Every structure is written in C-alpha cells, then in structure tokens.
C-alpha cells in the first residue's frame, strides 16, 4: 500500500481512496466536426502508455471527490508529484522516460512552471 497526496485536501491518504481515470492533459480537438473518423477515434480511444514518467488523471473518490493530476513512474509506481487541475507538471520525461525537472525547459518556451 502507498499513500497519495491530495492537492485539494492537503493530506496524504491511503491509495484505496483514489481511482485513476486515464491520461492527463488530453487536448480536445478545436473543431470536432472537421475531424475525420480516424482523428476522432484517435482522440477518443488511443492513449500513451510510456515506460517511465507519465501524467495521469486521478479522482479522490472517498475524500473531496475532486479530480487532480499525478506524475507517476510506470515502472517503479513511484508518484513523483500531484497537482491541481489546470496546473502544469513540474516534472516531465526525457527521451528515455526518465524524470527531469521541467522548470528550465518551460521557461525557455515561455510557460510558467
């Protein structure tokens, strides 16, 4: 068993209180009507499944019932960070799936970390 930090409750709680809901940061097509069937199907059904750092959407089902994001290493199951909806992760993956701080990279792109 492991404990997960809920960024809304501000507490570490047992994993049984939480449920994963899939990949985080999936952008909806701006014009769904203009998408081909293949593009729409890719948006609805296909998700990344990397070996290494992955951003996931979770819900605190037994607690505050709010959705939040988790940065998790899929090989070790280590949770690297949790953050509220609408926030950007401070940890991203390099080309090999290893964690790296995103602060320097995001500043170069003009995104606030």
């Amino acid at each position: 068993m492991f404990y997960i930090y809920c960024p809304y409750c501000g507490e570490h709680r047992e994993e049984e209180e939480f449920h994963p809901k899939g990949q985080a940061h999936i952008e909806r097509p701006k014009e769904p009507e203009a998408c081909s069937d293949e593009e729409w199907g890719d948006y609805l059904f296909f998700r990344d499944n990397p070996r290494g750092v992955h951003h996931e959407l979770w819900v605190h089902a037994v607690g505050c019932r709010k959705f939040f994001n988790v940065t998790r290493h899929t090989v070790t199951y280590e949770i690297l960070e949790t953050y509220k909806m609408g926030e950007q992760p401070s940890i991203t993956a390099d080309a090999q799936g290893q964690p790296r701080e995103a602060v320097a990279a995001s500043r170069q792109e003009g995104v606030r970390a």
Side-chain angles (χ1 to χ4, degrees):
M1 174 187 318
F2 58 93
Y3 291 86
I4 299 173
Y5 179 78
C6 176
Y8 293 100
C9 296
E11 298 180 2
H12 285 87
R13 305 297 297 201
E14 294 180 359
E15 66 181 297
E16 286 85 11
E17 291 191 14
F18 301 90
H19 298 290
K21 294 297 181 181
Q23 182 178 339
H25 308 291
I26 298 171
E27 186 175 331
R28 183 180 174 89
K30 294 190 185 328
E31 296 183 36
E33 304 84 20
C35 288
S36 69
D37 289 343
E38 183 177 354
E39 291 169 331
W40 188 247
D42 287 347
Y43 164 72
L44 289 177
F45 302 111
F46 292 102
R47 300 291 179 252
D48 294 337
N49 188 18
R51 181 178 176 89
V53 174
H54 187 54
H55 303 288
E56 302 171 331
L57 179 65
W58 285 61
V59 63
H60 191 179
V62 180
C64 64
R65 296 180 165 169
K66 292 186 178 180
F67 285 85
F68 62 96
N69 295 310
V70 170
T71 302
R72 184 174 68 87
H73 197 286
T74 60
V75 176
T76 64
Y77 297 104
E78 178 184 9
I79 293 178
L80 304 170
E81 68 178 336
T82 62
Y83 52 100
K84 296 178 180 180
M85 298 296 294
E87 295 178 352
Q88 293 298 312
S90 62
I91 299 172
T92 59
D94 64 12
Q96 289 78 34
Q98 299 302 314
R100 69 173 174 85
E101 296 295 323
V103 175
S106 66
R107 287 192 182 138
Q108 291 174 355
E109 298 170 9
V111 178
R112 287 180 48 189

